[in-house]
Amino acid sequence: MQRSGQRSGRSKGSLKILLAKEMGLCFGVKRALALVEKAATEHGHLHTLGAVVHNRQVMASLESRGVASVTSLSEVAEGAVAVPSHGAPPAVFAEAESRGLTLLDATCPMVKAAQQRARQWAEKGFLVVIFGDPDHTEVKGIAAWARDRAIIVSSEDDLAGLPSAAKIALLSQTTQSLASFRHLASCLIQQRLGASSQLLVHNTICNATADRQAAALDLARQVDVMIVVGSRDSANTGRLTALCTVHTPTHQVESADDLEPAWFAGVGLVGVTAGASTPDWIVQPVVERIRHFDH
Ligand code: F3S
């Protein structure tokens, strides 16, 4: 698939499609999918602890190959269980070991690094502040690695509720926007510098996220309408949609069937991007369908 930000080919009319320079599956999701597919082939059957990636079509495809998603280890009597790319709390690893379950750790290395950072800071007596969505599995997992020394904040307003602490360390959910994290970090420093003797800020937003967001923003500034491809339960896809919406009308779709002709009426330039959990085989039909709106 063309990813140069150059015009995608067309044969008639005035509609042009531009693809983001960076889009679609990130290395962490590719790695997790490869591990899960290999294990499913070897074992004939495999459980995953929640969705291995936040993409319904990908999960449906895996199910057809013997991969079943469970919400808790208690649902698994025996065999192999995969930890998804967004990670799991330490209690999951301990339970699997005590019950003799084979745990396949497909945690993205970037998420793993954030977990380890949180654990080390907590052990050194820091209050660990995690910028992210408190309901997201990755964020809950990172907090669990910091034991009882973590607080999750999702906005500047949440900083007012932080307890006083001599040492505070801030990190981010890997898929947050850098601009939002930068803003939160500067608010924290303004509010707490002086009251706390040590303030640490570590940027744990992954490069794949930052690159996809920058490319999507670059494209959104050029086009008349943006189409973002990815599941509604994908945090990084939702972030791309939110960022692009600031600059141009933006629609998030899970598949080509979600596209509406009215979005392209009178439109000259269409931009397309996709979340880090969206493979090419889902994006390509969307691009093809948009071409059919060219008239
Ligand atoms: Fe990992 Fe970043 Fe992808 S954290 S799973 S490389 S979006």
Side-chain angles (χ1 to χ4, degrees):
M1 185 177 296
Q2 178 185 359
R3 285 203 184 148
S4 62
Q6 295 160 354
R7 291 177 180 190
S8 183
R10 68 186 179 91
S11 58
K12 58 174 180 164
S14 58
L15 192 75
K16 295 182 176 62
I17 303 169
L18 304 182
L19 304 179
K21 288 177 183 164
E22 297 283 345
M23 60 187 269
L25 283 191
C26 62
F27 87 93
V29 171
K30 281 184 189 164
R31 176 180 172 274
L33 286 174
L35 286 170
V36 165
E37 284 169 358
K38 183 167 177 280
T41 303
E42 285 171 5
H43 296 274
H45 185 69
L46 181 75
H47 291 97
T48 65
L49 197 56
V52 74
V53 294
H54 284 140
N55 187 290
R56 278 191 270 275
Q57 293 112 304
V58 173
M59 288 306 291
S61 165
L62 289 175
E63 274 168 29
S64 70
R65 284 179 271 175
V67 178
S69 171
V70 294
T71 54
S72 157
L73 282 188
S74 62
E75 297 171 51
V76 183
E78 59 180 2
V81 187
V83 170
S85 55
H86 38 271
V92 164
F93 293 84
E95 182 182 345
E97 188 173 3
S98 71
R99 292 181 47 208
L101 298 171
T102 302
L103 209 60
L104 175 74
D105 189 1
T107 306
C108 172
M110 304 301 292
V111 175
K112 186 75 94 180
Q115 291 172 343
Q116 296 310 317
R117 183 77 61 182
R119 180 182 62 79
Q120 289 160 2
W121 278 340
E123 286 171 357
K124 289 178 179 167
F126 282 84
L127 173 68
V128 179
V129 180
I130 305 165
F131 174 51
D133 174 357
D135 295 323
H136 195 279
T137 312
E138 178 201 328
V139 176
K140 289 194 266 192
I142 294 171
W145 281 92
R147 309 289 174 176
D148 58 351
R149 296 284 303 167
I151 289 187
I152 300 165
V153 298
S154 55
S155 72
E156 176 186 348
D157 294 343
D158 293 342
L159 293 178
L162 287 185
S164 58
K167 301 196 290 184
I168 296 178
L170 174 70
L171 53 74
S172 175
Q173 181 178 4
T174 55
T175 51
Q176 285 292 327
S177 94
L178 183 57
S180 301
F181 183 58
R182 196 180 279 136
H183 175 71
L184 193 99
S186 69
C187 290
L188 178 70
I189 290 167
Q190 278 176 21
Q191 291 178 21
R192 293 302 173 115
L193 201 60
S196 298
S197 57
Q198 285 190 62
L199 284 176
L200 294 182
V201 177
H202 192 90
N203 177 12
T204 45
I205 296 170
C206 80
N207 288 342
T209 294
D211 292 348
R212 278 155 185 71
Q213 289 177 355
L217 274 175
D218 184 44
L219 194 52
R221 292 187 184 105
Q222 303 174 45
V223 300
D224 303 311
V225 63
M226 276 294 290
I227 301 299
V228 181
V229 191
S231 277
R232 306 213 185 286
D233 54 2
S234 160
N236 75 81
T237 307
R239 204 94 56 216
L240 289 176
T241 302
L243 287 170
C244 293
T245 300
V246 174
H247 298 280
T248 196
T250 301
H251 306 281
Q252 183 175 329
V253 298
E254 293 197 341
S255 73
D257 291 341
D258 294 342
L259 292 167
E260 293 184 17
W263 297 344
F264 307 97
V267 160
L269 273 178
V270 180
V272 176
T273 188
S277 46
T278 313
D280 281 357
W281 59 263
I282 293 175
V283 179
Q284 192 62 54
V286 171
V287 173
E288 290 304 321
R289 185 74 65 87
I290 294 171
R291 284 201 181 105
H292 284 125
F293 295 129
D294 188 11
H295 49 251

